[in-house]
Amino acid sequence: MRVPAAITADRFRETHPNVRVLLRPGNRSQSRAGVREGALVLCFTFGPPPTEPEFESMAPAPEAVVVVAPPGHPLTRMKK
């Protein structure tokens, strides 16, 4: 997973010295449960936004999806 540049940039750390960024792997359900239970302040997930009324969501930036495969793999022959 690529960490959004907004939270890893030096400027962010200089502007928000008291913010600690902790990355935890997990699936969408686990991440949303962490926010719901207060264990996480926010989470980044892929896929559709949540429909539950207790959440608000926004897309910080469009993300390109890239497939990495060995030469000759059927996915490498797909048209863009």
Side-chain angles (χ1 to χ4, degrees):
M1 177 181 145
R2 201 170 89 210
V3 179
I7 63 170
T8 59
D10 289 335
R11 181 174 175 185
F12 179 87
R13 288 190 294 266
E14 291 169 4
T15 308
H16 307 286
N18 296 323
V19 173
R20 185 176 72 139
V21 176
L22 173 65
L23 300 178
R24 290 186 186 170
N27 64 35
R28 190 178 324 153
S29 177
Q30 292 167 326
S31 298
R32 291 179 183 176
V35 172
R36 183 180 295 111
E37 296 161 4
L40 302 174
V41 176
L42 59 86
C43 68
F44 290 93
T45 64
F46 294 98
T51 57
E52 296 94 328
E54 71 265 32
F55 295 123
E56 290 189 33
S57 64
M58 56 89 65
E63 282 291 321
V65 176
V66 179
V67 174
V68 178
H73 190 282
L75 289 175
T76 63
R77 294 189 295 269
M78 293 180 68
K79 294 181 179 180
K80 294 180 184 181

